[in-house]
Structure formats: structure tokens, C-alpha cells
């Protein structure tokens, strides 16, 4: 608002305001989505979802952040496998897990997505070479607003909680294994028929 402010400073401040507004918008949207899921007002589709298509859709908004951090991505397994669920909501869940992995993996690190298949469910494993999750934080990692000791200062603890809600509401399962300093592996099980 200061009239005598230099043009460079005005641009810098405007960019900071824009960044904070985008962050607030994301927080509000995420909280609304989470509230709707928890209230049971979201009707999840029960379509046949191809895991390969799901992974591509989830990776699309994250390729640039991975490139900036020079992280390598490996995809392994049967991408033509399928499950019964909602591709849009499941994409949201996978994006949140991947974001978490990217954020906690150092530049030059690796992420691996493995797809496993059996007659009952499709399994997606997302493994990173990141900082890992402290043993005392593991039981609470999917709890809303929980921030572990290795979380970034920007984290509010919504992403993984939302992923869990989305997966569970579709009758699936999500778990994590991690050792501090050795990375984390998130396992998502999505069933082939409605149970």
C-alpha cells in the first residue's frame, strides 16, 4: 500500500501474497473435501479403474517438482491391472501420497511405484529414498493435523489423512512402513469388486 515502494519490492510482495492465497485456497478446498468425506456426503463412483491410467493421472501435476529436485522415478509391475472405484478421488489420494514422498526425498533421490495384482485386489506401493518417518510418528501419520518431527514447516497434516479417508471409504486399505533415514513405503490396496 505504501506509495513510495520500489517496483521490485511491490512485485516481490505481490508474489508472496499470491503464494499465500493459493496456499489458503488449497487448505480450504482440502478441508472441505475431508469434511464431506467424513460426513459421508461424497458418493464414490464404482467404475473399473485401470491402475496405469490412475498412476499417469496422479503423476501429471508432480512431474515438474520431481524434475526440479532431479528425482528419478521407476514404475514396475502390471499397470494394466484394475480395481472397482472412483478414479478422480483415488487420484487425489495417490497425489497426496506422492507429494509427501517428493517433499521428504532429497534432490537426486528415487521414487518407485510398484503395481502388484492378485484375484482380490490391486496393490500400489509407493517407495521413496527420503528421510523416513520416526518410529514414534508412525502410528499417527494418517491422523488429521498430525505433523511428525520430519515434516516441513509448510505441512499442516491434511494430505495423508485425506488419502486414508478416500481409500477407506472405497473399502480399500492403506499402510506405511518406514525407518528414519532409510525412506518410506506406502501400500494401497484397492479391491477388484465391491465388498
Amino acid at each position: 500500500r505504501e506509495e513510495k515502494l520500489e517496483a521490485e519490492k511491490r512485485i516481490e510482495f505481490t508474489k508472496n501474497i499470491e503464494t499465500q492465497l493459493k496456499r489458503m485456497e488449497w487448505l480450504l478446498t482440502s478441508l472441505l473435501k475431508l469434511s464431506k468425506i467424513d460426513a459421508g456426503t461424497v458418493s464414490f463412483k464404482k467404475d473399473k479403474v485401470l491402475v496405469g491410467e490412475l498412476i499417469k493421472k496422479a503423476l501429471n501435476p508432480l512431474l515438474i517438482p520431481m524434475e526440479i529436485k532431479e528425482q528419478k522415478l521407476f514404475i514396475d509391475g502390471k499397470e494394466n491391472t484394475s480395481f472397482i472405484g472412483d478414479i478422480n478421488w483415488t487420484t487425489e489420494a495417490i497425489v497426496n501420497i506422492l507429494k509427501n514422498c517428493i517433499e521428504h526425498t532429497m534432490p537426486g533421490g528415487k521414487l518407485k511405484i510398484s503395481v502388484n495384482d492378485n484375484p482380490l485386489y490391486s496393490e500400489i506401493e509407493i517407495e521413496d529414498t527420503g528421510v523416513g518417518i520416526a518410529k514414534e510418528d508412525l502410528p499417527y501419520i494418517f491422523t488429521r493435523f498430525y505433523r511428525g518431527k520430519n515434516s516441513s514447516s509448510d505441512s499442516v497434516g491434511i494430505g495423508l489423512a485425506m488419502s486414508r479417508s478416500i481409500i477407506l471409504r472405497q473399502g480399500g486399505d492403506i499402510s506405511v512402513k518406514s525407518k528414519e533415514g532409510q525412506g518410506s513405503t506406502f501400500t494401497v490396496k484397492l479391491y477388484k469388486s465391491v465388498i
Side-chain angles (χ1 to χ4, degrees), residues 18-113:
E18 189 179 10
T19 301
Q20 292 305 319
L21 282 171
K22 283 180 183 174
R23 185 164 159 66
M24 284 171 60
E25 183 182 18
W26 178 85
L27 277 171
L28 285 169
T29 304
S30 296
L31 284 169
L32 283 171
K33 286 177 185 176
L34 201 50
S35 295
K36 283 181 180 180
I37 293 165
D38 289 349
T41 59
V42 173
S43 52
F44 291 97
K45 291 179 183 173
K46 291 175 176 65
D47 298 329
K48 181 178 178 180
V49 177
L50 293 173
V51 175
E53 188 184 334
L54 169 73
I55 290 170
K56 281 179 193 154
K57 198 172 175 182
L59 281 170
N60 193 42
L62 303 172
L63 293 174
I64 291 172
M66 287 179 70
E67 192 177 319
I68 289 167
K69 290 185 85 174
E70 297 178 347
Q71 293 171 340
K72 291 181 175 58
L73 173 67
F74 302 93
I75 300 174
D76 184 39
K78 299 178 184 176
E79 289 182 66
N80 63 341
T81 188
S82 64
F83 65 94
I84 300 299
D86 188 309
I87 190 164
N88 293 324
W89 280 105
T90 310
T91 298
E92 177 106 23
I94 301 298
V95 165
N96 287 334
I97 295 166
L98 285 166
K99 268 187 192 172
N100 191 78
C101 293
I102 292 165
E103 184 181 304
H104 292 95
T105 298
M106 297 297 134
K110 296 175 190 169
L111 277 87
K112 182 180 176 186
I113 301 172

Side-chain angles (χ1 to χ4, degrees), residues 1 9 11 26 29 35 38 44 58 61 82 97 103 111-113 116 125 133 141 144 146 151 153 157 166 182 193-194:
R1 288 182 182 171
K9 278 288 179 197
I11 291 167
W26 178 85
T29 304
S35 295
D38 289 349
F44 291 97
S82 64
I97 295 166
E103 184 181 304
L111 277 87
K112 182 180 176 186
I113 301 172
N116 302 302
E125 275 190 357
I133 302 163
I141 203 71
R144 193 183 316 184
Y146 184 80
S151 41
S153 57
I166 291 167
Q182 294 180 29
S193 60
V194 181

Side-chain angles (χ1 to χ4, degrees), residues 68-189:
I68 289 167
K69 290 185 85 174
E70 297 178 347
Q71 293 171 340
K72 291 181 175 58
L73 173 67
F74 302 93
I75 300 174
D76 184 39
K78 299 178 184 176
E79 289 182 66
N80 63 341
T81 188
S82 64
F83 65 94
I84 300 299
D86 188 309
I87 190 164
N88 293 324
W89 280 105
T90 310
T91 298
E92 177 106 23
I94 301 298
V95 165
N96 287 334
I97 295 166
L98 285 166
K99 268 187 192 172
N100 191 78
C101 293
I102 292 165
E103 184 181 304
H104 292 95
T105 298
M106 297 297 134
K110 296 175 190 169
L111 277 87
K112 182 180 176 186
I113 301 172
S114 302
V115 180
N116 302 302
D117 190 34
N118 69 47
L120 286 179
Y121 57 81
S122 296
E123 184 180 79
I124 302 169
E125 275 190 357
I126 301 169
E127 185 180 350
D128 67 42
T129 57
V131 295
I133 302 163
K135 191 177 178 180
E136 62 268 23
D137 291 331
L138 269 175
Y140 310 105
I141 203 71
F142 296 111
T143 304
R144 193 183 316 184
F145 304 123
Y146 184 80
R147 293 179 62 237
K149 74 175 192 178
N150 291 333
S151 41
S152 73
S153 57
D154 288 344
S155 174
V156 280
I158 294 177
L160 292 178
M162 191 186 310
S163 291
R164 182 177 184 272
S165 289
I166 291 167
I167 301 300
L168 294 183
R169 291 282 175 178
Q170 295 183 90
D173 190 34
I174 184 169
S175 60
V176 64
K177 288 181 182 173
S178 185
K179 281 191 177 175
E180 218 170 345
Q182 294 180 29
S184 303
T185 302
F186 290 86
T187 303
V188 175
K189 292 178 182 174

